[in-house]
Amino acid sequence: MIDLHTHSTRSDGTLSPGALMREAGRSGVTRIALTDHDTIDGLDEARCEAEKDGIAFVAGLEISAEYSPGTMHILGYGFDEENERLVDRVRYVQAARERRNPKIIEKLNRLGMEVTLDEIAAESGGGLVGRPHFATVLLKKGYVSKRQEAFDRYLAKGKTAYVDKVRLSPAKSIEVIRNAGGIAVLAHPLQLRAQDSEALDAVVRELADLGLQGMECYYRNHRKSDEDEFLVLARRYGLIATGGSDFHGSNRPEVHLGTGEGRLRVPPACWTALQNAIEGSRPN
Ligand code: AMP
Ligand code: ZN
Ligand code: FE
Ligand code: FE
């Protein structure tokens, strides 16, 4: 099996990069990408472990782009991990996160919940701190009875403890990845929450004009009809099709490596197309 979208403790997953690769091995995943949000810190550990386990590995990351009312995430694959501009942009969004987290704490405190930044950071396994870690602590301390309730009541966009995140523009997200020799891919197109297929077509066309190279046609919760629609769109704009589970470990227990919520199967052609694209984008 193939899985091109996974998260470790370096962002908001619950398995370390190494443990994630071992879990992949146990799950029958033989080709994988690690795509943590806003960080490339886990790539070395993951690559090293994948090599030991005989799993083919591709470097990735997931960037949150400015977009509304839905969510736009751009995945990057096979970039030069030492590229200065990429490293610099990643540091920039990380620094913004560090300013954001105390603001979320402040809001929660004001709402009467006793939580500290240390408690939240302790949930992050040493990686980036984000809303999923806040949700875990609210659950553990009994302020909510389910993780989802933490989002629905407090942490989701527009709710009482929400603080906006610094994001890169779609153009910048794509540019940063491509400038580093990587492949830029639109993640989970359903999360754009486009009104209809024409609206989605327009967004994808715009992104393709900005240099987008791929689209995540296969995803943990896609139905056959979603896959079919996205494959048509991808072909229309000359994008490669990719796919993955968006595995987050026990932060999303219903999602499994390789198979997502059950029906996900990423075709081998996705892996080949991505490898060819990466190969083709290497500077000579
Ligand atoms: P952050 O990067 O700190 O803004 O956190 C984003 C992560 O929080 C996403 O990747 C999701 O895992 C989770 N998340 C955001 N909004 C929701 C929501 N409405 N319901 C459940 N999880 C959410
Ligand atoms: Zn995530
Ligand atoms: Fe995402
Ligand atoms: Fe993701």
Side-chain angles (χ1 to χ4, degrees), residues 14 23 122 142 151 177 229 232 234 255:
T14 56
E23 179 63 22
F151 283 96
I177 292 164
E229 180 186 358
V232 168
V255 176

Side-chain angles (χ1 to χ4, degrees), residues 81-99:
E81 291 155 49
E82 267 143 39
N83 179 273
E84 254 176 57
R85 258 153 75 193
L86 182 120
V87 170
D88 174 74
R89 282 299 89 183
V90 165
R91 283 211 191 109
Y92 165 80
V93 290
Q94 288 174 359
R97 263 181 189 283
E98 279 162 27
R99 291 191 299 272

